Amino acid sequence: MCRFWTQHRSRRNGHVEIASNAAAGQHYNKLWFSSSRGPSLESMLEWAEKEMRDTHKLENVRRVPVTVHKWVRPSVERLTLLADGSRVAREMQIIALGNSVNTTKPIEAELMVVADEEELKSRSGAVKGRIVLFNNEFISYGQSVKYRSTGAQLVQALGGLASLVRSVTPQSLYTPHTGATSYGSLNYTQMIPTAAVTVEDAMLMSRLEKSGHILRVRFEMTGDTNRLADGTLGTATSHNIMAEITGSELPHEVIVLGGHVDSWDVGQGALDDGTGFVAAWEAVRMLHAMKLRARRTIRVVGWTNEENGGAGSKAYNASVPADEKTVLAIESDGGTNAVKGITLFAPENVRSHILSIADLLTSMGTDTVLNATSAGSTGADIAPLVAHGAAGAGLIVDTPKSRYFWVHHTNADTFDKVDASDMRKSVATLATYAFCVADEPPATPTVNGTDTMPK
């Protein structure tokens, strides 16, 4: 039993005290200040560092420099469905995908609409000299993001001039969704421009093509995207940020809580991933304010560059001292609305211990523990830690109810979309797992298990 709960008359009393402190916490104000500080990530991190050190009196507060690739959005993003004998021209809302090259000059060409890679291959002979639109219906993020990530490579290999993708979302109010694209091993001269269109426009163009219309579009993306003469992206200095409550007995054994501090250059990044980072920060602050010092260290980490390269995660993993052991890493990167528990990648003996902790969260409705399918599926930023032997967990939400992917990577990812009550539950859930694992006696299987990780 977690020591904090044994100091109370019942499990519920322990849960109520954690939940009450979360309800009285500062997470919502933190998120507001974080998401309203304008376009500068670095100014937000400076503010957060000062808050952690001077206001909250957390320990070992630091910002650690990280070199990241810097891509700048084109100043012009334009797609026009050109008129034909039966249709007037139509301007469409688009958004460049992260890392995309520009068009240099407007591209005017015939448009081909395909549902997926299989259809692209079946019509491969018609791709050369055309712009291809992937009208791939959202099934899940993991399945549908494929064409945003690699669509440009698929189209370029067949001689296409540019790649467009249907925005990766289950619900649209005519809002295009950005996100990173990859050119793989293509050199600069081979790269073709790529952008996302709204769900509504993707469906419109698909219907028109299926009804026999020949579609022609004019596609233009221009501006300085910060590419060097050889076509590689320039670099900039960002920072990871971290703070902790040092363990009383085993300070070199660490429980990591965190989320990423960067967001795409549209919206405020409130759900992706302001809520994740701030909930982890508030969990640690709350435990410190309650004077709960566990046997092991509890550390909050804000990773930079998750959206466009993962340099923050790689730098953090490389900086972990040889004598430090990450016992458990929990990442929150799916919003905090409609939170329901965690997904877990750990040996069976660890899982049974985690399930006993989950029982403490039943009355709050965040006691779900699902099996993660791989070391990377609990979270992109903790994946290197899990690959090196740490148990990994990711905060999970009821995706349809959370509406996370409705605003993901859009101008609509703003503070007003955050449910304050659910964010409090997320704070309490993270704090409970962190403290209970961190405070286990040295011989417990959660921290010294010998079972192999799941396959």
Side-chain angles (χ1 to χ4, degrees):
M1 171 67 69
C2 183
R3 175 165 60 106
F4 176 66
W5 272 262
T6 62
Q7 293 170 353
H8 295 74
R9 288 175 296 174
S10 71
R11 290 186 177 193
R12 176 168 172 77
N13 286 343
H15 158 71
V16 167
E17 183 164 343
I18 285 278
S20 296
N21 277 275
Q26 304 167 18
H27 56 283
Y28 209 52
N29 287 337
K30 283 195 192 79
L31 181 62
W32 163 243
F33 286 124
S34 298
S35 62
S36 63
R37 293 185 70 82
S40 175
L41 167 62
E42 299 311 311
S43 69
M44 186 280 287
L45 292 174
E46 290 172 5
W47 165 79
E49 180 185 31
K50 188 174 187 299
E51 285 287 296
M52 289 174 168
R53 178 182 293 116
D54 300 342
T55 304
H56 303 150
K57 309 299 181 184
L58 297 178
E59 298 156 7
N60 296 326
V61 178
R62 63 254 193 221
R63 282 184 303 131
V64 180
V66 179
T67 299
V68 302
H69 286 293
K70 181 181 178 181
W71 173 81
V72 178
R73 181 167 300 286
S75 55
V76 174
E77 300 166 303
R78 183 176 297 134
L79 179 70
T80 306
L81 178 60
L82 299 176
D84 64 13
S86 61
R87 186 184 63 251
V88 297
R90 179 186 176 96
E91 294 292 331
M92 297 186 161
Q93 290 291 321
I94 66 167
I95 191 165
L97 298 182
N99 301 320
S100 177
V101 295
N102 284 339
T103 60
T104 308
K105 62 181 181 180
I107 301 173
E108 187 172 317
E110 189 173 320
L111 181 77
M112 172 189 293
V113 185
V114 298
D116 51 30
E117 185 176 3
E118 183 178 351
E119 184 178 356
L120 179 71
K121 289 179 178 178
S122 71
R123 301 172 62 187
S124 59
V127 173
K128 188 173 182 180
R130 289 177 169 82
I131 295 173
V132 175
L133 165 63
F134 289 96
N135 180 35
N136 187 255
E137 184 177 355
F138 186 95
I139 300 171
S140 70
Y141 186 71
Q143 290 175 270
S144 301
V145 77
K146 171 182 178 179
Y147 299 104
R148 190 194 75 196
S149 301
T150 62
Q153 295 180 54
L154 297 174
V155 173
Q156 188 276 340
L158 297 173
L161 301 178
S163 171
L164 301 173
V165 297
R166 170 172 164 159
S167 287
V168 183
T169 179
Q171 185 69 37
S172 178
L173 293 173
Y174 204 64
T175 307
H177 295 236
T178 191
T181 195
S182 170
Y183 289 109
S185 61
L186 296 180
N187 64 48
Y188 183 48
T189 61
Q190 296 172 312
M191 296 176 185
I192 61 173
T194 181
V197 304
T198 67
V199 170
E200 293 88 342
D201 281 339
M203 294 175 70
L204 169 65
M205 289 185 281
S206 179
R207 288 195 303 269
L208 287 171
E209 186 187 66
K210 287 178 179 178
S211 65
H213 289 264
I214 296 175
L215 306 179
R216 290 190 65 82
V217 295
R218 181 183 297 114
F219 179 35
E220 180 180 7
M221 295 198 308
T222 57
D224 180 9
T225 57
N226 197 44
R227 287 192 180 271
L228 305 179
D230 63 357
T232 59
L233 286 171
T235 60
T237 299
S238 186
H239 295 80
N240 288 335
I241 187 168
M242 58 201 81
E244 60 198 39
I245 306 170
T246 306
S248 60
E249 298 176 19
L250 300 163
H252 295 298
E253 295 186 7
V254 182
I255 283 71
V256 171
L257 305 178
H260 65 86
V261 293
D262 63 312
S263 70
W264 283 105
D265 55 322
V266 292
Q268 295 174 335
L271 290 178
D272 185 20
D273 185 30
T275 53
F277 167 60
V278 171
W281 173 8
E282 178 62 8
V284 176
R285 183 212 64 81
M286 183 178 71
L287 292 171
H288 185 264
M290 295 172 70
K291 302 187 185 307
L292 291 173
R293 186 178 295 275
R295 292 181 172 95
R296 293 169 187 79
T297 296
I298 301 175
R299 179 181 299 154
V300 55
V301 181
W303 292 278
T304 193
N305 192 234
E306 185 273 345
E307 296 289 8
N308 202 27
S313 171
K314 295 168 187 172
Y316 175 83
N317 187 61
S319 72
V320 175
D323 63 346
E324 179 176 297
K325 176 183 179 181
T326 304
V327 174
L328 172 67
I330 309 178
E331 181 173 345
S332 176
D333 187 17
T336 54
N337 293 351
V339 60
K340 65 179 185 180
I342 61 170
T343 181
L344 179 68
F345 187 80
E348 185 55 39
N349 58 345
V350 175
R351 177 178 167 79
S352 63
H353 247 63
I354 293 293
L355 287 172
S356 71
I357 298 170
D359 286 345
L360 304 172
L361 301 168
T362 301
S363 62
M364 196 163 58
T366 62
D367 57 330
T368 298
V369 179
L370 301 179
N371 282 324
T373 56
S374 66
S377 63
T378 52
D381 283 319
I382 65 172
L385 297 174
V386 178
H388 283 83
L395 201 68
I396 54 173
V397 300
D398 185 324
T399 301
K401 290 182 180 178
S402 77
R403 300 182 178 181
Y404 175 75
F405 286 112
W406 291 27
V407 300
H408 183 246
H409 295 181
T410 74
N411 279 306
D413 184 2
T414 49
F415 178 76
D416 55 284
K417 308 303 189 303
V418 177
D419 185 300
S421 175
D422 283 343
M423 192 173 176
R424 286 194 292 269
K425 292 180 182 179
S426 300
V427 172
T429 300
L430 291 170
T432 299
Y433 279 117
F435 183 80
C436 288
V437 172
D439 203 50
E440 289 176 340
T444 55
T446 304
V447 295
N448 282 318
T450 56
D451 284 8
T452 58
M453 295 297 263
K455 300 299 184 186

